[in-house]
Amino acid sequence: MRLVQTLKKVDETIAQTTKTLSNVTDDVDLIAIQAENLMAKSNVLLQTVNNKTRELDPVFKAAAELGTSVSKLNESTSNAASRFSGLTKNMGKATVAGGLFKRFRNKKKKITSIKLGGQNDEYR
């Protein structure tokens, strides 16, 4: 009788193990299907990202070229401003020199006018 009880217990254990293995097999199959779907979606997403990157590449290149152009424009503007500044400094010197020359000439005319008796027309 003990042998019969032991065999019944073994039979129950085998039945439970079979049921558990069946459930595990179903779960593994489900996980495999989900993993396959996830891989397919990941591949589609990766392809989309690669396409978008290819589409954006010219935009980034154009932005880089624009940055280079703006830098060159700033440099040219700075150089022009420096040259203009130097020009205005020289113009300022010329203006001062011209003003001094006019004063000198006016003083000379006054002195000559006084010597000629106030007749500027004869001096010219």
Side-chain angles (χ1 to χ4, degrees):
M1 194 146 163
R2 233 172 123 90
L3 182 60
V4 173
Q5 285 178 343
T6 304
L7 287 175
K8 280 185 182 182
K9 288 275 186 193
V10 169
D11 189 41
E12 287 175 13
T13 304
I14 290 174
Q16 187 65 34
T17 304
T18 303
K19 184 178 175 186
T20 302
L21 284 175
S22 175
N23 288 340
V24 169
T25 303
D26 291 343
D27 290 346
V28 168
D29 287 343
L30 180 64
I31 290 171
I33 290 169
Q34 289 175 346
E36 193 174 312
N37 289 338
L38 183 61
M39 289 293 286
K41 288 179 182 178
S42 296
N43 285 337
V44 169
L45 180 62
L46 182 61
Q47 191 174 29
T48 302
V49 168
N50 285 337
N51 290 340
K52 299 287 182 186
T53 302
R54 274 189 231 107
E55 290 174 8
L56 286 175
D57 196 37
V59 173
F60 288 119
K61 286 181 182 177
E65 290 173 2
L66 178 63
T68 302
S69 297
V70 168
S71 293
K72 287 180 181 178
L73 177 64
N74 285 340
E75 184 179 341
S76 296
T77 304
S78 177
N79 290 341
S82 295
R83 279 187 254 134
F84 182 73
S85 176
L87 179 64
T88 57
K89 285 180 185 176
N90 290 337
M91 287 176 62
K93 291 176 185 175
T95 303
V96 170
L100 290 174
F101 179 73
K102 282 183 183 178
R103 285 184 186 170
F104 174 75
R105 191 179 71 205
N106 286 341
K107 283 184 180 182
K108 188 174 179 183
K109 279 184 181 179
K110 285 181 184 178
I111 292 171
T112 305
S113 175
I114 292 170
K115 286 182 182 176
L116 294 175
Q119 298 173 357
N120 283 339
D121 292 335
E122 292 177 18
Y123 175 68
R124 290 184 192 163

